Coordinates of all heavy atoms in Angstrom, one line a residue:
M1 N 3.6 -21.6 -11.7 CA 3.0 -20.6 -10.8 C 2.7 -19.3 -11.4 O 3.6 -18.8 -12.1 CB 3.9 -20.5 -9.5 CG 3.2 -19.7 -8.4 SD 4.3 -19.9 -7.0 CE 4.3 -18.2 -6.4
E2 N 1.6 -18.7 -11.2 CA 1.2 -17.5 -11.8 C 2.1 -16.4 -11.2 O 2.4 -16.4 -10.0 CB -0.3 -17.2 -11.5 CG -0.7 -15.8 -11.5 CD -2.2 -15.6 -11.1 OE1 -2.8 -16.5 -10.5 OE2 -2.6 -14.5 -11.4
P3 N 2.5 -15.4 -12.0 CA 3.4 -14.3 -11.5 C 2.6 -13.5 -10.5 O 1.4 -13.4 -10.6 CB 3.7 -13.5 -12.7 CG 2.9 -14.0 -13.9 CD 2.3 -15.3 -13.5
G4 N 3.3 -13.0 -9.6 CA 2.7 -12.1 -8.5 C 2.7 -10.7 -9.0 O 3.4 -10.3 -9.8
Y5 N 1.8 -10.0 -8.4 CA 1.7 -8.5 -8.6 C 1.9 -7.8 -7.3 O 1.3 -8.2 -6.3 CB 0.4 -8.2 -9.3 CG 0.3 -8.7 -10.7 CD1 -0.1 -10.0 -11.0 CD2 0.6 -7.9 -11.8 CE1 -0.1 -10.5 -12.3 CE2 0.6 -8.4 -13.1 CZ 0.2 -9.7 -13.3 OH 0.2 -10.2 -14.6
L6 N 2.7 -6.8 -7.4 CA 3.0 -6.0 -6.2 C 2.2 -4.7 -6.1 O 2.1 -4.0 -7.1 CB 4.5 -5.7 -6.2 CG 5.5 -6.9 -6.4 CD1 6.9 -6.4 -6.5 CD2 5.3 -7.9 -5.3
V7 N 1.7 -4.5 -4.9 CA 1.0 -3.2 -4.7 C 2.1 -2.3 -4.0 O 2.5 -2.6 -2.9 CB -0.2 -3.4 -3.8 CG1 -0.8 -2.1 -3.4 CG2 -1.2 -4.3 -4.5
V8 N 2.4 -1.2 -4.6 CA 3.5 -0.3 -4.1 C 2.8 1.0 -3.7 O 2.0 1.6 -4.5 CB 4.6 -0.1 -5.2 CG1 5.7 0.8 -4.6 CG2 5.1 -1.4 -5.7
C9 N 3.1 1.5 -2.6 CA 2.7 2.8 -2.2 C 3.9 3.8 -2.1 O 5.0 3.4 -1.6 CB 2.0 2.8 -0.8 SG 1.3 4.4 -0.3
W10 N 3.7 4.9 -2.7 CA 4.8 5.9 -2.9 C 4.6 7.1 -1.9 O 3.5 7.5 -1.7 CB 4.9 6.4 -4.3 CG 5.1 5.3 -5.3 CD1 4.1 4.5 -5.8 CD2 6.3 4.8 -5.8 NE1 4.7 3.5 -6.7 CE2 6.1 3.7 -6.7 CE3 7.7 5.2 -5.6 CZ2 7.1 3.1 -7.4 CZ3 8.7 4.6 -6.3 CH2 8.4 3.5 -7.2
N11 N 5.7 7.7 -1.5 CA 5.6 8.9 -0.7 C 5.0 10.0 -1.5 O 5.2 10.1 -2.7 CB 7.0 9.3 -0.2 CG 6.9 10.2 1.0 OD1 5.9 10.3 1.7 ND2 8.0 10.8 1.3
D12 N 4.3 10.9 -0.8 CA 3.7 12.1 -1.4 C 3.8 13.2 -0.4 O 3.9 13.0 0.8 CB 2.3 11.9 -1.9 CG 1.3 11.6 -0.8 OD1 1.1 12.5 0.0 OD2 0.7 10.5 -0.7
P13 N 3.8 14.5 -0.8 CA 3.9 15.6 0.1 C 2.5 16.0 0.7 O 2.5 16.9 1.5 CB 4.4 16.7 -0.8 CG 3.9 16.4 -2.1 CD 3.8 14.9 -2.2
V14 N 1.5 15.2 0.5 CA 0.1 15.7 0.8 C -0.4 15.0 2.1 O -0.9 15.6 3.0 CB -0.9 15.4 -0.4 CG1 -2.3 15.8 0.0 CG2 -0.4 16.1 -1.6
N15 N -0.3 13.7 2.1 CA -1.0 12.9 3.2 C -0.1 12.8 4.5 O 1.1 12.5 4.4 CB -1.3 11.5 2.7 CG -2.4 11.6 1.6 OD1 -3.5 12.1 1.8 ND2 -2.1 11.1 0.4
F16 N -0.8 13.0 5.6 CA -0.1 12.9 6.9 C 0.2 11.4 7.3 O -0.6 10.5 6.8 CB -0.9 13.5 8.0 CG -1.0 15.0 7.9 CD1 -2.2 15.6 7.5 CD2 0.1 15.8 8.2 CE1 -2.2 17.0 7.4 CE2 0.1 17.2 8.0 CZ -1.1 17.8 7.6
M17 N 1.2 11.2 8.1 CA 1.6 9.8 8.4 C 0.5 9.1 9.1 O 0.2 7.9 8.9 CB 2.9 9.8 9.2 CG 4.1 10.3 8.4 SD 5.6 10.1 9.3 CE 5.7 11.6 10.3
D18 N -0.2 9.7 10.0 CA -1.3 9.1 10.8 C -2.4 8.7 9.8 O -3.0 7.6 10.0 CB -1.9 10.0 11.8 CG -1.1 10.0 13.1 OD1 -0.2 9.2 13.2 OD2 -1.4 10.9 13.9
Y19 N -2.7 9.5 8.8 CA -3.7 9.2 7.8 C -3.3 7.9 7.0 O -4.1 7.0 6.8 CB -3.9 10.4 6.9 CG -4.9 10.1 5.8 CD1 -6.3 10.0 6.1 CD2 -4.5 9.9 4.5 CE1 -7.2 9.7 5.1 CE2 -5.5 9.7 3.5 CZ -6.8 9.6 3.8 OH -7.7 9.3 2.8
V20 N -2.1 7.9 6.6 CA -1.6 6.8 5.8 C -1.7 5.5 6.6 O -2.2 4.4 6.1 CB -0.1 7.0 5.3 CG1 0.4 5.8 4.6 CG2 -0.1 8.2 4.3
T21 N -1.3 5.5 7.8 CA -1.4 4.4 8.7 C -2.9 3.9 8.8 O -3.2 2.7 8.7 CB -0.9 4.7 10.2 OG1 0.5 5.1 10.0 CG2 -1.0 3.6 11.1
H22 N -3.8 4.9 9.0 CA -5.2 4.6 9.1 C -5.7 3.9 7.8 O -6.4 2.9 7.9 CB -6.0 5.9 9.4 CG -7.4 5.7 9.2 ND1 -8.2 5.1 10.2 CD2 -8.3 6.1 8.2 CE1 -9.5 5.1 9.7 NE2 -9.5 5.7 8.6
V23 N -5.3 4.4 6.7 CA -5.8 3.8 5.4 C -5.2 2.4 5.3 O -6.0 1.5 4.9 CB -5.3 4.7 4.2 CG1 -5.6 4.0 2.9 CG2 -6.0 6.1 4.2
F24 N -4.0 2.2 5.6 CA -3.4 0.8 5.5 C -4.2 -0.2 6.4 O -4.5 -1.3 6.0 CB -2.0 0.8 5.9 CG -1.0 1.4 4.9 CD1 0.3 1.6 5.2 CD2 -1.5 1.8 3.6 CE1 1.2 2.2 4.3 CE2 -0.6 2.4 2.7 CZ 0.7 2.6 3.1
Q25 N -4.6 0.3 7.6 CA -5.4 -0.5 8.5 C -6.7 -0.8 7.9 O -7.2 -2.0 8.0 CB -5.5 0.2 9.9 CG -4.3 0.2 10.7 CD -4.5 0.9 12.0 OE1 -4.4 2.1 12.1 NE2 -4.8 0.1 13.0
K26 N -7.4 0.2 7.3 CA -8.7 0.0 6.8 C -8.7 -0.9 5.6 O -9.5 -1.8 5.4 CB -9.2 1.4 6.4 CG -10.7 1.5 6.3 CD -11.2 2.9 6.5 CE -12.7 3.0 6.3 NZ -13.5 2.3 7.3
V27 N -7.8 -0.6 4.6 CA -7.8 -1.4 3.4 C -7.3 -2.8 3.5 O -7.9 -3.7 3.0 CB -6.9 -0.7 2.3 CG1 -6.7 -1.5 1.1 CG2 -7.5 0.7 1.9
F28 N -6.3 -3.0 4.3 CA -5.7 -4.4 4.5 C -6.1 -5.1 5.8 O -5.8 -6.3 5.9 CB -4.2 -4.3 4.4 CG -3.7 -3.8 3.1 CD1 -3.2 -2.5 3.0 CD2 -3.7 -4.5 1.9 CE1 -2.7 -2.0 1.8 CE2 -3.3 -4.0 0.7 CZ -2.8 -2.8 0.7
G29 N -6.8 -4.4 6.7 CA -7.2 -5.0 7.9 C -6.0 -5.3 8.8 O -6.0 -6.2 9.7
W30 N -4.9 -4.5 8.7 CA -3.7 -4.7 9.4 C -3.8 -4.2 10.8 O -4.5 -3.2 11.1 CB -2.5 -4.0 8.8 CG -2.1 -4.7 7.5 CD1 -2.4 -5.9 7.0 CD2 -1.2 -4.1 6.5 NE1 -1.8 -6.1 5.8 CE2 -1.0 -5.0 5.5 CE3 -0.5 -2.9 6.4 CZ2 -0.2 -4.8 4.4 CZ3 0.3 -2.6 5.3 CH2 0.4 -3.6 4.3
Q31 N -3.0 -4.7 11.8 CA -2.9 -4.1 13.1 C -2.1 -2.8 12.9 O -1.3 -2.7 11.9 CB -2.1 -5.1 14.0 CG -2.7 -6.4 14.3 CD -4.0 -6.2 15.1 OE1 -4.0 -5.4 16.1 NE2 -5.1 -6.9 14.8
R32 N -2.2 -1.9 13.9 CA -1.6 -0.6 13.8 C 0.0 -0.7 13.6 O 0.5 0.0 12.8 CB -1.9 0.2 15.1 CG -1.3 1.6 15.0 CD -1.9 2.5 16.1 NE -1.4 3.8 15.8 CZ -1.9 4.7 15.0 NH1 -3.0 4.4 14.3 NH2 -1.4 5.9 14.8
Q33 N 0.6 -1.7 14.3 CA 2.0 -1.9 14.2 C 2.5 -2.2 12.8 O 3.5 -1.6 12.3 CB 2.5 -3.0 15.2 CG 4.0 -3.0 15.5 CD 4.3 -4.0 16.5 OE1 3.5 -4.8 16.9 NE2 5.6 -4.1 16.9
K34 N 1.8 -3.0 12.1 CA 2.2 -3.4 10.8 C 1.9 -2.2 9.8 O 2.7 -1.9 8.9 CB 1.4 -4.6 10.3 CG 1.8 -5.1 8.9 CD 1.2 -6.4 8.5 CE 1.7 -6.8 7.1 NZ 1.2 -8.1 6.7
A35 N 0.8 -1.5 10.0 CA 0.5 -0.4 9.2 C 1.5 0.7 9.4 O 2.0 1.3 8.4 CB -0.9 0.1 9.5
E36 N 1.9 0.9 10.6 CA 3.0 2.0 10.9 C 4.3 1.6 10.3 O 5.0 2.5 9.8 CB 3.1 2.2 12.4 CG 2.0 3.1 13.0 CD 2.2 3.3 14.5 OE1 3.0 2.6 15.1 OE2 1.4 4.1 15.0
F37 N 4.7 0.3 10.3 CA 5.9 -0.1 9.7 C 6.0 0.2 8.2 O 6.9 0.8 7.7 CB 6.1 -1.7 9.9 CG 7.2 -2.2 9.1 CD1 8.5 -2.2 9.6 CD2 7.0 -2.8 7.8 CE1 9.6 -2.7 8.8 CE2 8.1 -3.3 7.1 CZ 9.4 -3.2 7.6
H38 N 4.9 -0.1 7.5 CA 4.8 0.3 6.1 C 4.8 1.8 5.8 O 5.4 2.3 4.9 CB 3.7 -0.5 5.4 CG 4.0 -1.9 5.2 ND1 4.8 -2.4 4.1 CD2 3.6 -3.0 5.9 CE1 4.9 -3.7 4.2 NE2 4.2 -4.1 5.3
M39 N 4.0 2.5 6.7 CA 4.0 3.9 6.6 C 5.4 4.5 6.7 O 5.8 5.4 6.0 CB 3.0 4.5 7.6 CG 3.0 6.0 7.7 SD 4.3 6.8 8.7 CE 3.9 6.2 10.3
R40 N 6.1 4.0 7.7 CA 7.5 4.6 7.9 C 8.4 4.2 6.7 O 9.2 5.0 6.3 CB 8.1 4.0 9.2 CG 7.5 4.6 10.4 CD 8.2 4.2 11.7 NE 7.4 4.3 12.9 CZ 7.0 5.5 13.4 NH1 7.3 6.6 12.8 NH2 6.2 5.5 14.4
Q41 N 8.2 3.1 6.1 CA 9.0 2.7 4.9 C 8.7 3.7 3.8 O 9.6 4.1 3.1 CB 8.6 1.3 4.5 CG 9.8 0.4 4.2 CD 9.5 -1.0 3.9 OE1 8.3 -1.3 3.4 NE2 10.4 -1.9 4.0
V42 N 7.4 4.0 3.6 CA 7.0 4.9 2.6 C 7.7 6.3 2.9 O 8.2 6.9 2.0 CB 5.5 5.1 2.5 CG1 5.1 6.3 1.7 CG2 4.8 3.8 2.0
H43 N 7.6 6.7 4.1 CA 8.1 8.0 4.5 C 9.6 8.1 4.4 O 10.2 9.1 3.8 CB 7.7 8.3 5.9 CG 8.1 9.7 6.4 ND1 7.6 10.8 6.0 CD2 9.1 10.0 7.3 CE1 8.2 11.9 6.6 NE2 9.1 11.4 7.4
N44 N 10.3 7.1 4.9 CA 11.8 7.1 4.9 C 12.4 6.7 3.6 O 13.5 7.2 3.2 CB 12.3 6.2 6.0 CG 11.9 6.7 7.4 OD1 11.8 7.9 7.6 ND2 11.6 5.8 8.3
D45 N 11.9 5.7 2.9 CA 12.5 5.1 1.7 C 11.8 5.6 0.4 O 12.3 5.2 -0.7 CB 12.5 3.6 1.8 CG 13.2 3.0 3.0 OD1 14.0 3.8 3.6 OD2 12.9 1.9 3.4
G46 N 10.7 6.3 0.5 CA 10.0 6.8 -0.7 C 9.0 5.9 -1.2 O 8.2 6.2 -2.0
K47 N 9.0 4.6 -0.7 CA 8.0 3.6 -1.2 C 8.0 2.4 -0.3 O 9.0 2.2 0.4 CB 8.2 3.2 -2.6 CG 9.4 2.3 -2.9 CD 9.4 1.8 -4.3 CE 10.4 0.6 -4.4 NZ 10.4 0.0 -5.7
S48 N 6.9 1.6 -0.4 CA 6.8 0.4 0.3 C 6.0 -0.6 -0.5 O 5.0 -0.2 -1.1 CB 6.2 0.6 1.7 OG 6.1 -0.7 2.4
V49 N 6.5 -1.8 -0.6 CA 5.7 -2.9 -1.2 C 4.8 -3.4 -0.2 O 5.2 -4.0 0.8 CB 6.6 -4.0 -1.8 CG1 5.8 -5.2 -2.3 CG2 7.6 -3.5 -2.9
L50 N 3.5 -3.2 -0.4 CA 2.5 -3.5 0.7 C 2.1 -5.0 0.6 O 2.0 -5.7 1.7 CB 1.3 -2.6 0.5 CG 1.6 -1.1 0.6 CD1 0.3 -0.3 0.4 CD2 2.3 -0.7 1.9
V51 N 1.8 -5.5 -0.6 CA 1.4 -6.9 -0.7 C 1.8 -7.4 -2.1 O 2.0 -6.7 -3.0 CB -0.2 -7.1 -0.5 CG1 -0.6 -6.8 0.9 CG2 -0.9 -6.3 -1.5
R52 N 1.9 -8.8 -2.1 CA 2.0 -9.5 -3.4 C 0.8 -10.3 -3.5 O 0.5 -11.1 -2.6 CB 3.3 -10.4 -3.3 CG 3.5 -11.2 -4.5 CD 4.6 -12.3 -4.2 NE 4.8 -13.1 -5.4 CZ 4.1 -14.1 -5.8 NH1 3.0 -14.5 -5.1 NH2 4.4 -14.8 -6.9
D53 N 0.1 -10.2 -4.7 CA -1.1 -11.0 -4.8 C -1.4 -11.2 -6.3 O -0.6 -10.9 -7.2 CB -2.3 -10.2 -4.2 CG -3.3 -11.1 -3.5 OD1 -3.6 -12.2 -4.0 OD2 -3.7 -10.7 -2.4
S54 N -2.6 -11.8 -6.6 CA -3.0 -12.0 -7.9 C -3.3 -10.7 -8.6 O -3.5 -9.7 -7.9 CB -4.3 -12.9 -8.0 OG -5.3 -12.2 -7.4
L55 N -3.3 -10.6 -9.9 CA -3.6 -9.4 -10.6 C -4.9 -8.8 -10.1 O -5.0 -7.6 -9.8 CB -3.6 -9.6 -12.1 CG -4.0 -8.4 -13.0 CD1 -3.0 -7.3 -12.8 CD2 -4.1 -8.8 -14.5
E56 N -5.9 -9.6 -10.1 CA -7.3 -9.1 -9.7 C -7.3 -8.4 -8.3 O -7.8 -7.3 -8.1 CB -8.3 -10.2 -9.8 CG -9.7 -9.8 -9.8 CD -10.7 -11.0 -10.0 OE1 -10.3 -11.9 -10.7 OE2 -11.7 -10.9 -9.4
K57 N -6.7 -9.1 -7.3 CA -6.7 -8.6 -6.0 C -5.8 -7.4 -5.9 O -6.1 -6.4 -5.2 CB -6.2 -9.7 -5.0 CG -7.3 -10.6 -4.5 CD -6.8 -11.4 -3.3 CE -8.0 -12.2 -2.8 NZ -7.5 -13.3 -2.0
A58 N -4.6 -7.4 -6.5 CA -3.7 -6.3 -6.5 C -4.3 -5.1 -7.1 O -4.2 -4.0 -6.6 CB -2.4 -6.7 -7.2
E59 N -5.0 -5.2 -8.2 CA -5.7 -4.1 -8.8 C -6.8 -3.5 -7.9 O -6.9 -2.3 -7.8 CB -6.4 -4.5 -10.1 CG -5.5 -4.6 -11.3 CD -6.2 -5.0 -12.6 OE1 -7.2 -5.7 -12.5 OE2 -5.7 -4.7 -13.7
F60 N -7.5 -4.4 -7.2 CA -8.5 -4.0 -6.2 C -7.8 -3.1 -5.1 O -8.3 -2.0 -4.8 CB -9.2 -5.2 -5.6 CG -10.1 -4.8 -4.5 CD1 -11.3 -4.3 -4.7 CD2 -9.7 -5.0 -3.2 CE1 -12.2 -3.9 -3.7 CE2 -10.5 -4.7 -2.1 CZ -11.8 -4.1 -2.4
Y61 N -6.7 -3.6 -4.6 CA -6.0 -2.8 -3.5 C -5.5 -1.5 -4.0 O -5.7 -0.5 -3.3 CB -4.9 -3.6 -3.0 CG -5.3 -4.8 -2.1 CD1 -4.6 -6.1 -2.2 CD2 -6.2 -4.7 -1.1 CE1 -5.0 -7.1 -1.4 CE2 -6.6 -5.8 -0.3 CZ -6.0 -7.0 -0.5 OH -6.3 -8.0 0.3
V62 N -5.0 -1.5 -5.2 CA -4.5 -0.2 -5.7 C -5.6 0.8 -5.9 O -5.5 2.0 -5.5 CB -3.8 -0.4 -7.1 CG1 -3.5 0.9 -7.8 CG2 -2.5 -1.1 -6.9
H63 N -6.8 0.4 -6.4 CA -7.9 1.2 -6.5 C -8.4 1.7 -5.2 O -8.8 2.9 -5.0 CB -9.0 0.6 -7.3 CG -8.7 0.4 -8.7 ND1 -9.3 -0.6 -9.5 CD2 -7.8 1.0 -9.6 CE1 -8.8 -0.5 -10.8 NE2 -7.9 0.4 -10.8
Q64 N -8.4 0.8 -4.2 CA -8.8 1.2 -2.8 C -7.9 2.3 -2.3 O -8.4 3.3 -1.8 CB -8.8 0.0 -1.9 CG -9.9 -1.0 -2.1 CD -11.3 -0.4 -1.9 OE1 -11.6 0.1 -0.8 NE2 -12.1 -0.5 -2.9
L65 N -6.6 2.1 -2.4 CA -5.7 3.1 -1.9 C -5.8 4.4 -2.6 O -5.7 5.5 -2.0 CB -4.2 2.6 -2.0 CG -3.9 1.3 -1.1 CD1 -2.6 0.7 -1.6 CD2 -3.9 1.7 0.3
Q66 N -6.0 4.4 -3.9 CA -6.1 5.6 -4.7 C -7.4 6.4 -4.3 O -7.4 7.6 -4.4 CB -6.1 5.3 -6.2 CG -4.8 4.9 -6.7 CD -4.8 4.4 -8.1 OE1 -5.8 4.1 -8.7 NE2 -3.6 4.3 -8.7
K67 N -8.5 5.6 -4.0 CA -9.7 6.2 -3.5 C -9.4 7.1 -2.3 O -10.1 8.1 -2.0 CB -10.7 5.1 -3.1 CG -12.0 5.3 -3.8 CD -12.9 4.1 -3.6 CE -13.2 3.7 -2.2 NZ -14.1 2.6 -2.0
Y68 N -8.5 6.7 -1.5 CA -8.1 7.4 -0.3 C -7.0 8.5 -0.6 O -6.3 8.9 0.3 CB -7.6 6.5 0.8 CG -8.7 5.7 1.5 CD1 -9.0 4.4 1.1 CD2 -9.5 6.3 2.5 CE1 -10.0 3.7 1.7 CE2 -10.6 5.6 3.1 CZ -10.8 4.3 2.7 OH -11.8 3.6 3.3
T69 N -6.7 8.7 -1.8 CA -5.8 9.7 -2.3 C -4.3 9.3 -2.1 O -3.4 10.2 -2.1 CB -6.0 11.2 -1.8 OG1 -5.7 11.2 -0.4 CG2 -7.5 11.6 -2.0
L70 N -4.0 8.0 -1.9 CA -2.6 7.6 -1.7 C -2.1 7.3 -3.1 O -2.8 6.9 -4.0 CB -2.5 6.4 -0.9 CG -3.0 6.5 0.6 CD1 -2.6 5.2 1.4 CD2 -2.4 7.7 1.3
H71 N -0.8 7.5 -3.3 CA -0.2 7.3 -4.6 C 0.3 5.8 -4.6 O 1.3 5.5 -4.1 CB 1.0 8.2 -4.8 CG 1.7 8.0 -6.1 ND1 2.9 8.7 -6.4 CD2 1.4 7.3 -7.2 CE1 3.3 8.3 -7.6 NE2 2.4 7.5 -8.1
A72 N -0.6 5.0 -5.2 CA -0.3 3.5 -5.2 C -0.2 3.1 -6.7 O -1.0 3.5 -7.5 CB -1.4 2.8 -4.5
T73 N 0.7 2.1 -6.9 CA 0.8 1.5 -8.3 C 0.9 0.0 -8.2 O 1.1 -0.5 -7.1 CB 2.1 2.1 -9.0 OG1 3.2 1.8 -8.2 CG2 2.0 3.6 -9.2
L74 N 0.7 -0.6 -9.3 CA 0.8 -2.0 -9.5 C 2.0 -2.3 -10.3 O 2.3 -1.7 -11.3 CB -0.5 -2.4 -10.3 CG -0.7 -3.9 -10.5 CD1 -1.0 -4.6 -9.2 CD2 -1.9 -4.1 -11.5
E75 N 2.8 -3.3 -9.8 CA 4.0 -3.8 -10.6 C 3.9 -5.3 -10.7 O 3.6 -6.0 -9.7 CB 5.3 -3.4 -9.8 CG 5.5 -1.9 -9.8 CD 6.8 -1.5 -9.1 OE1 7.6 -2.4 -8.8 OE2 7.0 -0.3 -8.8
R76 N 4.3 -5.8 -11.8 CA 4.4 -7.2 -12.0 C 5.7 -7.6 -11.4 O 6.8 -7.0 -11.6 CB 4.5 -7.5 -13.5 CG 4.3 -9.0 -13.8 CD 4.3 -9.3 -15.3 NE 4.3 -10.7 -15.5 CZ 3.4 -11.3 -16.2 NH1 2.5 -10.7 -16.9 NH2 3.5 -12.6 -16.4
E77 N 5.7 -8.7 -10.6 CA 6.9 -9.2 -9.9 C 7.8 -9.8 -10.9 O 7.4 -10.5 -11.8 CB 6.5 -10.3 -8.9 CG 7.6 -10.6 -7.9 CD 7.1 -11.5 -6.8 OE1 6.4 -12.5 -7.1 OE2 7.5 -11.3 -5.7
Q78 N 9.1 -9.4 -10.8 CA 10.1 -9.9 -11.7 C 10.5 -11.3 -11.5 O 10.6 -11.7 -10.4 CB 11.4 -9.0 -11.6 CG 11.1 -7.6 -12.0 CD 10.6 -7.4 -13.4 OE1 11.1 -8.0 -14.4 NE2 9.5 -6.6 -13.5

């Protein structure tokens, strides 16, 4: 099985919580509740693993999030 790649969003002092929730909904097509869950994880824990996907899709998501000025990175799943 091909290794997974994790899309991680990190907390930052710039973006408001409502904005982060909105971006998660827009990029991933999530319902508000799921988007808020991940936003709270970012806010409270400093980061949240948003999705595990193929390299190509994970890179796409990271670029989308960065376009919205979120601090997102790609990690290879261990």
